Amino acid sequence: LGGWSRWKMLIPPRKKSFGVDYQGRMGKFFSTHYSAQEANEMKEAIKNLSELRAQTLHVSEATTANCDVSIRYWAQLCLLDKRIDFSQIGLVFTWIDAFKGPTTLSPNQGRMNSTALALEISSVLFNIGAMLAFQGNTVHSSGGQENLKQASILFKKAAGYFAGVKAYSSRIDGAVSTDLTSDCCTMLENLCLAHAQRCFYEKAANDKMKESLLAKLAAGVANLYASVHAALTAGEVAKHFKGTTWAGEAAQEMFTFKSMAHVHAANGLEEEAKGMKKGQEIGHLHTANSLLEQACKLKLNNPKEKELKGKTTTMQGLIAKAKKENDTIYHMPEEKAMPDPEAKQVVQSEPLPSIQDAVGYDLFSALVPDTVRQAASQYASKRQEYCNQIVQEMNADTEALRNKLSTITPQVDACDLSEPGLPNRLKEKIAAIQSQDGVRGLMQRFQLNLEMKEDVQGNVQLAKRVIEEEEATDSDLRQKFGVRWTRSLSSSINEPLKKDMKEIEKQLKLAADADEIVRGKIDSKRSLLDLLGLNTEQLDGMVAGSGDRAYECMSVQSALIKTREAVAKLKLIIKEVENLISHREQIRSSIIRRKESEDAVKTLSNLILGGKSQAEAMDNLLAGYAQLREEFVKNKKIVQELMQKLEKEIDEFLSEQKQDEEMSRREAVLTKISQAIDAYSEVSNYVREGASYYSATQEKVNKLRSRAEDFRVARDIQKEDLLSSITEACAQGAPAPAAPAAAVAAVPVQTAIPVAPVQTFSYSRATPDTSKDEEYARQLAAEFARAEMSPGASSSAHAAPSFSAAPVSAAPAQPVVGIAEAMQPTPFFAPPSNPPPSHLVQGVVQAGSAPTLQMALPPQRPAPQPPSFSAHSEQAATHVATAVAPAAAPPPPAAPPTQNVKLPPGWEQQLTADGQVYYVNHNDRTTSWDPPVWDGEQLQTKEGGYVNQRPF
């Protein structure tokens, strides 16, 4: 068939979006939910994120650099999605369908709004796929073997990104725009794979590969285009692409490559059978010709169709030639048609790049994710429970072991005739106790623990009181002002703080129970502990007693040497057991040190952001404590074996000894001293653990109290701003404007901008009751007046807070004016600003709130389609007029029209105060300096749609 021209492939366009106020919304979120220091650290990161989004959207060319920027933005959003819950921020993402956007008659067509970050992520992935596909088409059209290879790689990457869209768009609540649905993304994935397979096939054809292989590759291309065509001719995707040439172009590619597969199959039979299968060759050529004719019947009237018609003529010549050869030479029965050749697909979608590799530098690396905060709290509780289990088991076993030793060792020491007084083993232990100020020092340390506990409990109560007072204030004001009190509920925002507080209170309750146990042990073992108040000489005398004569009598006995050898052997075993007990203390210390030094938040953050689930991350951290537990289990097993050996040998030793009254007395004294030392060690361990716990908890509680106080300060600022706006609105005689709950504190105030024509409004509820606004305003004004007149009060400290006194910066691309400026006496359908027209007034109403006004400058780039609107009605007009125009200054009545312009239904001509003519469109609630162009039947517009729009 000869060569084929490289016509442009079917490439999806990019999606469009509106601006997002990252800096305003996220800044307010961090200042409310995080400490002042954390919120301040995030300012630069939020600014960089906003700039990164702007770079991602404002792309004029599909270059590798622009793709890299978009990929980095996607990766940054994925990491950010794991750190915070975007539904709490109140950001609204708006994206336009890539294939069908707003038109004059359907201004909401293709528009999708959502607070879910998944919409932003899936849309960015869609655009990356579109850019990579456009790059692949550009490289493919350049020709050359290396370019074909590179184009195939780009198309496979594009397919991977469209596949990735499905994973994120499925997380969006509610219906999504058609271009983000699973069916549409699967169609686009298959389209890019078809392009990639096509590049692979063309490279193989240029490399003169076997005809049979080329037939399989071409059939693979045809099958992929067939799946695209099937999606474009059935279901919602077909309805969405109705009126476009996409289905026809996909069918054209399908028929073309099926035809080419049959031609290669015919050539392959010629190579292999040397004309002995000429009848089948002719059948493949007939089928190829039929497919080309079907492609021409689509009547797309594109350049490729003209080329296909020429190929049809060539194909008919090939068929005639093959028939002639068969009739003359081979005489094989001719086939009229042949089944499609076996297909071989050699391409597949490439997986998305690693998020950590794609992001480069994580802007929010210092931000602790919400999931990590939750996991850290759960992990702390789980770790405490796990460690308590280890320590309790260790304490119980060690206590039982000490009780056994306190019975055995005095028996051995009593028979040790080489030490008639206090054994050196006990002297060393008593010296260590006295170096820590003995029992008196132990009681002082225990008392210090109790004081630390009271301090910690006091700080917890202070933090709790701060939260409760703030919630009570918010509840009172909400009840007083009703729908006018539009900020978020304190009780819902405080939830993380209260959760942390409950966990600390739970742990403090357990610690208090442990303190009572320690106090009980001290009381029950007071007499033994008092014994340690004696010095070493006094204890030595108590043990020796009058036993010197008994030892002198026994010194001449022949059994003395044998007794000393047996005692030395027993003491070695006891020493080994005591060393193992000391090792247990090291294990206990290791658990405490690990808990104190462990940066659980940072480690969990790395593990979770690395892809592990919360459960996997927590198990990973607990594995270190599991190793310490295994170490204790081994220690316990060795001790049990030694104790069995010791008990057996002590029984044999005592059965050979004949103890007199003096030895029994000596054994009883040594038993008491050993029990006193064990009691001291046991209580000392409890006190040491308590000191470690209260020290760590005190730091946590101080941070908790700081968070609570920072939260109260931030909420107080919000409260004053909102009270000021309510007072100002009521003083002007108009109802206070209400904004969405999550956005109240973010209403900016800047230099006044002239109020422009009202372009768009949305409504979701009836007008709130404002009958008591003036009364509320008088009450607030009286409170401020009393505060100003109070003795010693400064005017600056008690003046009524001014709305314009606390400006808040807005997003760079959307400067706005304050509510006070927006509420100047202006007609509902105000004339366009002079010079005309550049400003946009938007009013957004959410369920449960009244309208709020926001004025924004349009972007310098070509303006996007108009924002969403609802049908104009008399009730809606009355509502907005009430909210915008004070009753004291009604708008002047419109002058009668002075120009004879033919207006379509729903349009009206009015005059400005200086007599300038402008036009009001009641259909979509807009104003314009230019008259509409209407021929009596159809309204003409300069705005173009999005259907069949080509990217870049």
Side-chain angles (χ1 to χ4, degrees):
L1 289 177
W4 288 81
S5 301
R6 298 187 185 277
W7 304 112
K8 289 184 179 180
M9 298 178 177
L10 202 56
I11 302 298
R14 290 186 301 125
K15 293 173 68 66
K16 294 184 179 181
S17 177
F18 293 95
V20 173
D21 186 14
Y22 274 139
Q23 290 179 277
R25 296 290 195 191
M26 291 183 68
K28 183 56 62 178
F29 172 79
F30 284 120
S31 65
T32 304
H33 290 73
Y34 292 76
S35 67
Q37 180 180 355
E38 289 176 310
N40 190 56
E41 290 173 351
M42 291 299 106
K43 286 183 178 179
E44 188 66 23
I46 298 171
K47 177 183 177 183
N48 292 334
L49 179 68
S50 184
E51 293 175 353
L52 192 59
R53 186 181 196 271
Q55 294 172 16
T56 300
L57 294 182
H58 299 160
V59 173
S60 57
E61 296 181 14
T63 62
T64 302
N66 287 335
C67 280
D68 290 343
V69 171
S70 298
I71 292 171
R72 185 189 170 199
Y73 179 58
W74 157 74
Q76 184 64 76
L77 291 179
C78 291
L79 291 177
L80 198 54
D81 189 32
K82 295 181 179 181
R83 289 191 168 97
I84 55 178
D85 182 4
F86 261 75
S87 63
Q88 298 183 21
I89 298 179
L91 277 170
V92 177
F93 300 100
T94 302
W95 285 85
I96 305 299
D97 191 294
F99 304 100
K100 278 191 177 180
T103 63
T104 302
L105 298 179
S106 301
N108 283 334
Q109 180 175 266
R111 176 189 297 273
M112 181 178 179
N113 302 316
S114 178
T115 58
L117 186 63
L119 172 60
E120 182 82 354
I121 294 176
S122 55
S123 298
V124 172
L125 284 175
F126 187 101
N127 280 355
I128 296 172
M131 285 194 287
L132 288 171
F134 186 87
Q135 278 187 285
N137 179 50
T138 303
V139 175
H140 170 263
S141 62
S142 301
Q145 295 295 83
E146 284 301 316
N147 284 341
L148 288 173
K149 180 180 178 180
Q150 184 62 28
S152 181
I153 293 173
L154 289 169
F155 283 125
K156 288 190 290 184
K157 288 183 178 180
Y161 279 97
F162 285 119
V165 173
K166 294 183 287 185
Y168 286 98
S169 62
S170 62
R171 293 165 46 188
I172 304 173
D173 294 334
V176 298
S177 55
T178 305
D179 59 344
L180 297 181
T181 59
S182 178
D183 290 344
C184 186
C185 290
T186 300
M187 181 271 291
L188 294 174
E189 180 185 6
N190 289 333
L191 177 66
C192 292
L193 289 177
H195 294 339
Q197 175 97 358
R198 174 178 177 173
C199 294
F200 192 93
Y201 157 76
E202 290 179 2
K203 186 177 185 300
N206 293 340
D207 289 338
K208 307 298 182 183
M209 303 295 287
K210 286 185 176 182
E211 293 289 337
S212 58
L213 176 61
L214 294 177
K216 292 179 180 180
L217 294 177
V221 178
N223 285 352
L224 287 168
Y225 279 126
S227 66
V228 174
H229 178 258
L232 291 169
T233 53
E236 291 299 320
V237 176
K239 295 178 182 178
H240 197 62
F241 283 84
K242 185 178 180 181
T244 72
T245 61
W246 272 63
E249 291 186 45
Q252 189 179 62
E253 298 288 6
M254 175 186 68
F255 289 137
T256 300
F257 279 94
K258 276 189 177 183
S259 174
M260 294 168 73
H262 281 280
V263 171
H264 287 300
N267 293 341
L269 291 175
E270 177 68 25
E271 287 180 352
E272 296 171 3
K274 304 300 182 183
M276 301 308 296
K277 295 183 179 180
K278 185 60 74 173
Q280 295 180 21
E281 289 181 38
I282 295 172
H284 278 297
L285 293 176
H286 273 304
T287 305
N289 184 63
S290 175
L291 291 167
L292 287 178
E293 289 176 348
Q294 290 184 61
C296 293
K297 289 178 181 178
L298 295 172
K299 298 188 180 301
L300 297 177
N301 297 322
N302 56 13
K304 188 171 184 177
E305 185 174 302
K306 296 179 181 179
E307 186 174 3
L308 288 174
K309 290 179 180 178
K311 297 294 182 183
T312 302
T313 304
T314 305
M315 182 65 67
Q316 292 170 353
L318 290 174
I319 294 172
K321 180 181 178 182
K323 281 185 175 183
K324 183 177 181 181
E325 290 179 355
N326 188 45
D327 293 340
T328 306
I329 304 173
Y330 303 107
H331 305 289
M332 295 292 177
E334 295 182 6
E335 300 286 348
K336 295 298 182 181
M338 290 292 291
D340 292 336
E342 176 189 355
K344 182 178 180 64
Q345 183 175 330
V346 294
V347 296
Q348 60 182 0
S349 304
E350 290 198 2
L352 297 179
S354 164
I355 292 176
Q356 294 290 350
D357 294 339
V359 76
Y361 171 70
D362 185 0
L363 298 175
F364 295 88
S365 57
L367 178 63
V368 178
D370 282 346
T371 52
V372 172
R373 288 178 181 272
Q374 298 170 6
S377 177
Q378 296 175 13
Y379 169 71
S381 178
K382 193 171 182 180
R383 178 187 63 185
Q384 189 66 35
E385 181 181 348
Y386 190 80
C387 292
N388 285 346
Q389 185 180 0
I390 300 175
V391 172
Q392 287 172 7
E393 185 179 353
M394 191 183 301
N395 287 343
D397 189 74
T398 303
E399 186 175 356
L401 186 60
R402 290 186 186 279
N403 290 335
K404 287 184 179 180
L405 287 177
S406 64
T407 302
I408 295 174
T409 53
Q411 295 174 344
V412 176
D413 290 335
C415 297
D416 187 2
L417 304 180
S418 63
E419 294 179 306
L422 191 67
N424 289 330
R425 177 180 60 83
L426 297 182
K427 286 181 180 179
E428 292 173 359
K429 292 183 178 180
I430 292 173
I433 291 173
Q434 292 177 347
S435 68
Q436 298 179 9
D437 203 12
V439 177
R440 182 179 62 180
L442 178 63
M443 295 298 103
Q444 290 176 347
R445 294 194 295 277
F446 179 62
Q447 184 61 35
L448 182 60
N449 281 1
L450 297 179
E451 293 174 359
M452 290 174 64
K453 178 180 69 176
E454 291 180 0
D455 184 50
V456 168
Q457 290 175 335
N459 280 332
V460 169
Q461 292 304 315
L462 284 174
K464 192 173 184 179
R465 193 178 305 120
V466 167
I467 293 175
E468 290 174 349
E469 289 175 355
E470 203 287 321
E471 287 186 359
T473 301
D474 182 71
S475 178
D476 291 343
L477 292 172
R478 191 175 302 280
Q479 184 177 4
K480 180 177 181 180
F481 291 105
V483 295
R484 286 166 292 276
W485 196 253
T486 53
R487 70 175 185 173
S488 303
L489 283 169
S490 293
S491 56
S492 62
I493 299 176
N494 283 334
E495 201 58 41
L497 273 172
K498 291 188 287 189
K499 187 175 181 180
D500 293 346
M501 194 175 301
K502 286 180 181 178
E503 184 62 30
I504 290 176
E505 288 178 330
K506 177 182 174 182
Q507 296 298 330
L508 284 175
K509 177 66 170 59
L510 295 176
D513 294 341
D515 289 338
E516 290 303 315
I517 293 174
V518 174
R519 192 190 300 275
K521 287 185 177 294
I522 292 174
D523 294 340
S524 64
K525 299 182 179 182
R526 175 69 68 178
S527 59
L528 290 174
L529 294 173
D530 289 343
L531 192 61
L532 296 179
L534 302 176
N535 58 38
T536 306
E537 290 76 13
Q538 291 172 318
L539 293 173
D540 191 70
M542 288 177 60
V543 174
S546 57
D548 293 343
R549 291 189 299 275
Y551 299 141
E552 290 172 1
C553 293
M554 294 183 67
S555 64
V556 296
Q557 298 177 7
S558 59
L560 180 61
I561 297 176
K562 183 178 179 181
T563 301
R564 286 180 176 176
E565 290 176 352
V567 168
K569 184 178 179 181
L570 291 171
K571 282 193 170 184
L572 284 176
I573 299 176
I574 293 172
K575 183 68 174 176
E576 194 172 351
V577 172
E578 289 181 338
N579 288 338
L580 288 170
I581 293 176
S582 298
H583 180 60
R584 291 186 181 186
E585 295 299 326
Q586 294 176 8
I587 296 174
R588 187 203 310 271
S589 299
S590 297
I591 293 174
I592 295 173
R593 284 197 303 271
R594 186 179 183 88
K595 285 173 58 180
E596 292 176 348
S597 62
E598 186 176 59
D599 190 349
V601 171
K602 182 177 180 180
T603 308
L604 284 171
S605 180
N606 292 334
L607 291 173
I608 291 176
L609 292 177
K612 290 188 178 295
S613 65
Q614 287 189 23
E616 291 173 337
M618 288 190 284
D619 290 343
N620 193 296
L621 286 182
L622 288 175
Y625 296 96
Q627 292 176 358
L628 294 173
R629 181 184 179 81
E630 287 297 321
E631 194 173 345
F632 162 65
V633 171
K634 291 179 181 178
N635 177 287
K636 182 179 179 179
K637 184 178 180 181
I638 297 173
V639 167
Q640 287 175 346
E641 294 173 354
L642 287 173
M643 288 301 296
Q644 291 174 359
K645 180 180 179 181
L646 180 62
E647 289 173 349
K648 181 180 178 181
E649 295 197 6
I650 196 69
D651 289 341
E652 294 176 357
F653 172 74
L654 293 176
S655 65
E656 298 174 358
Q657 299 298 317
K658 295 181 180 180
Q659 287 186 315
D660 58 11
E661 183 180 346
E662 181 62 25
M663 283 189 176
S664 298
R665 184 201 61 78
R666 174 183 166 88
E667 180 182 339
V669 174
L670 288 171
T671 299
K672 278 191 173 183
I673 296 175
S674 296
Q675 290 176 346
I677 293 173
D678 290 342
Y680 177 90
S681 299
E682 182 183 1
V683 174
S684 180
N685 287 335
Y686 280 122
V687 171
R688 184 169 58 251
E689 289 175 8
S692 175
Y693 168 77
Y694 286 125
S695 178
T697 305
Q698 195 170 36
E699 184 178 354
K700 291 181 183 177
V701 171
N702 287 338
K703 289 182 179 180
L704 181 70
R705 181 180 173 184
S706 176
R707 285 171 57 195
E709 291 174 347
D710 289 346
F711 173 79
R712 180 174 62 181
V713 170
R715 296 290 282 179
D716 283 347
I717 294 174
Q718 290 181 338
K719 179 184 70 176
E720 296 301 325
D721 288 346
L722 189 52
L723 286 173
S724 178
S725 65
I726 292 173
T727 306
E728 190 171 326
C730 293
Q732 293 181 6
V744 168
V747 177
V749 180
Q750 293 186 349
T751 307
I753 299 175
V755 176
V758 177
Q759 299 280 346
T760 261
F761 282 85
S762 298
Y763 308 96
S764 62
R765 61 178 286 123
T767 307
D769 180 17
T770 59
S771 59
K772 297 184 179 180
D773 283 351
E774 294 183 6
E775 180 183 349
Y776 289 144
R778 286 194 296 271
Q779 292 177 1
L780 288 171
E783 291 175 6
F784 292 136
R786 286 196 296 272
E788 289 177 349
M789 297 176 63
S790 60
S794 63
S795 59
S796 60
H798 297 281
S802 171
F803 189 83
S804 60
V808 181
S809 61
Q814 296 181 337
V816 297
V817 298
I819 292 177
E821 289 83 349
M823 294 179 61
Q824 294 301 318
T826 306
F828 172 70
F829 284 113
S833 55
N834 194 13
S838 66
H839 302 301
L840 172 67
V841 177
Q842 289 182 336
V844 180
V845 177
Q846 293 186 354
S849 64
T852 182
L853 298 182
Q854 184 181 18
M855 178 169 289
L857 289 172
Q860 297 301 316
R861 300 175 62 80
Q865 295 297 326
S868 61
F869 70 100
S870 61
H872 175 53
S873 66
E874 183 178 353
Q875 178 183 0
T878 305
H879 184 142
V880 178
T882 305
V884 176
T898 58
Q899 294 186 17
N900 186 17
V901 177
K902 192 175 184 180
L903 298 175
W907 283 75
E908 179 185 357
Q909 178 178 283
Q910 291 189 8
L911 296 177
T912 63
D914 56 0
Q916 191 172 2
V917 177
Y918 68 96
Y919 301 90
V920 178
N921 181 2
H922 292 276
N923 299 314
D924 60 6
R925 307 181 64 75
T926 59
T927 57
S928 173
W929 295 108
D930 299 323
V933 180
W934 190 56
D935 57 8
E937 295 182 358
Q938 186 175 1
L939 178 66
Q940 300 181 13
T941 175
K942 299 178 181 179
E943 298 179 1
Y946 284 72
V947 179
N948 292 329
Q949 179 181 349
R950 292 290 181 176
F952 315 113

